[in-house]
Amino acid sequence: MDISKFFDEIDHELMIKAVEHVMEEKWVKMYVERWLRMPVQKQDGTLQERAGKGTPQGGVISPFLANLYLHFSLDVWLSKHYPQVSFVRYADDVVVHCTRKAEAEEVLEAIKRRLAEVKLRIKEKKTRIAYCRDYRRKEKHEVVKFEFLGFSYQPRARKSTRDGKSFTAFAAEISQTNQKRIREVIREVKLWRNTQVEIQEIAKLLNAKLRGWIAYYGKYSIRSLRNTVMMIEGRLIKWLRKKHKIGYRKSVEKLNSIKRANPELFYHWKMGYC
């Protein structure tokens, strides 16, 4: 589930109570109050008052305050009233694990009521009950997939490391949304249009991004991530054709020659993604 307009709806009075609970120093409370109440300047120069709610997104202390708010508003409450369920939360994105559909429906309605008490509400479009179907859980449900922190969790075909047989696992891969986002970043690299630069400059520009993508999304199945970053190969071939005024086949041969001479030039080469 996701919480609607979370950073904009945080109640200042409840936020200060949470701060007082963990911080005895009065000067801390004073600065937090000033931070929360400070008006926001719009692009036209006008000031918008906070009206007793909201913490500015992008502010250095906002993530800390947001987590503190939800720790007492949701985490502690869930642990107390539903100790049998487990949950994971990152900021306002939450996954609650239940054992039965009826339990999931009950917990969801209770969470809605709880959030209303602390002046928040869920984002209905991003909140759903999903069935984690795999080789053990074989019932039919309408929703068998959900996304969380850039990953898509859904039934996927896997091979057993023990006997090599195929089975259905409920596993994670990079989501379609983030695959599209990575392809857009690759596509928008300005150096693709500059044939005066050397390939080392393109590698230097992309390697920092590649390290981040592979370090994060490569934790699970790498097939979808590999297919996504392989878009770089096509872009390099096209760039080499323009730079050296050669055909497709020769540009492929030239790229392969560069790989053999410097197999660690691009980070995804080094990590065996091609």
Side-chain angles (χ1 to χ4, degrees):
M1 71 175 199
D2 194 9
I3 298 176
S4 179
K5 299 179 181 178
F6 173 55
F7 284 89
D8 296 329
E9 297 295 328
I10 289 176
D11 183 77
H12 289 179
E13 185 177 347
L14 293 176
M15 184 73 263
I16 293 301
K17 285 184 179 180
V19 172
E20 288 178 326
H21 190 78
V22 296
M23 291 285 186
E24 296 181 356
E25 294 84 350
K26 292 183 178 180
W27 66 268
V28 174
K29 174 187 173 183
M30 178 188 70
Y31 278 110
V32 171
E33 285 180 328
R34 287 181 180 179
W35 185 278
L36 291 174
R37 294 170 182 171
M38 186 174 294
V40 176
Q41 186 175 27
K42 296 184 176 180
Q43 289 184 343
D44 60 4
T46 59
L47 295 178
Q48 179 182 354
E49 298 297 329
R50 302 304 301 180
K53 64 179 183 179
T55 180
Q57 292 194 48
V60 292
I61 201 174
S62 292
F64 172 77
L65 294 178
N67 274 308
L68 190 62
Y69 194 91
L70 279 182
H71 173 71
F72 290 110
S73 300
L74 184 62
D75 302 353
V76 173
W77 177 86
L78 266 175
S79 298
K80 179 180 178 181
H81 295 277
Y82 294 93
Q84 76 278 14
V85 305
S86 57
F87 65 94
V88 58
R89 179 179 64 79
Y90 186 89
D92 59 332
D93 290 326
V94 189
V95 175
V96 181
H97 302 276
C98 300
T99 56
R100 294 172 291 105
K101 184 180 179 182
E103 182 183 54
E105 291 171 340
E106 176 190 342
V107 173
L108 178 57
E109 291 305 313
I111 288 175
K112 289 180 180 179
R113 293 192 296 270
R114 173 57 180 172
L115 290 179
E117 292 175 359
V118 294
K119 304 182 181 180
L120 296 173
R121 56 192 173 88
I122 67 167
K123 188 179 293 183
E124 295 287 351
K125 289 183 178 180
K126 289 190 175 183
T127 299
R128 61 180 57 84
I129 294 175
Y131 181 66
C132 304
R133 184 165 57 82
D134 61 10
Y135 71 96
R136 295 168 300 175
R137 297 179 288 260
K138 300 179 180 180
E139 296 179 24
K140 291 185 177 180
H141 286 266
E142 183 180 355
V143 180
V144 293
K145 170 185 175 181
F146 67 90
E147 292 189 4
F148 186 61
L149 302 184
F151 289 95
S152 172
Y153 295 82
Q154 64 188 80
R156 302 180 191 276
R158 292 289 186 266
K159 279 192 176 182
S160 172
T161 56
R162 185 178 58 185
D163 55 19
K165 292 183 179 180
S166 296
F167 68 99
T168 301
F170 195 80
E173 279 190 3
I174 179 175
S175 68
Q176 292 286 338
T177 302
N178 284 278
Q179 289 181 53
K180 181 180 178 182
R181 194 169 295 161
I182 289 175
R183 287 193 293 267
E184 287 174 353
V185 171
I186 295 171
R187 190 180 299 114
E188 292 171 1
V189 170
K190 293 181 179 179
L191 290 183
W192 297 134
R193 299 189 292 271
N194 187 349
T195 57
Q196 302 302 312
V197 300
E198 299 300 324
I199 195 170
Q200 287 79 5
E201 294 183 52
I202 298 175
K204 184 178 180 181
L205 178 66
L206 283 172
N207 278 343
K209 299 180 186 298
L210 284 164
R211 287 189 187 95
W213 295 332
I214 291 172
Y216 185 71
Y217 295 112
K219 292 291 184 183
Y220 297 101
S221 176
I222 64 173
R223 182 182 59 186
S224 297
L225 179 60
R226 178 186 286 114
N227 293 340
T228 302
V229 299
M230 279 298 288
M231 177 183 176
I232 294 173
E233 306 304 289
R235 286 285 170 169
L236 285 171
I237 291 170
K238 187 176 180 180
W239 177 80
L240 287 169
R241 290 182 68 182
K242 290 181 179 179
K243 182 176 178 65
H244 298 285
K245 296 180 176 57
I246 54 179
Y248 176 81
R249 183 174 295 179
K250 287 188 176 181
S251 62
V252 171
E253 291 174 356
K254 189 165 188 63
L255 182 59
N256 289 334
S257 176
I258 293 171
K259 284 183 185 179
R260 288 191 295 270
N262 195 345
E264 296 186 1
L265 179 60
F266 284 87
Y267 188 71
H268 68 296
W269 294 359
K270 178 181 178 180
M271 300 302 294
Y273 274 66
C274 63

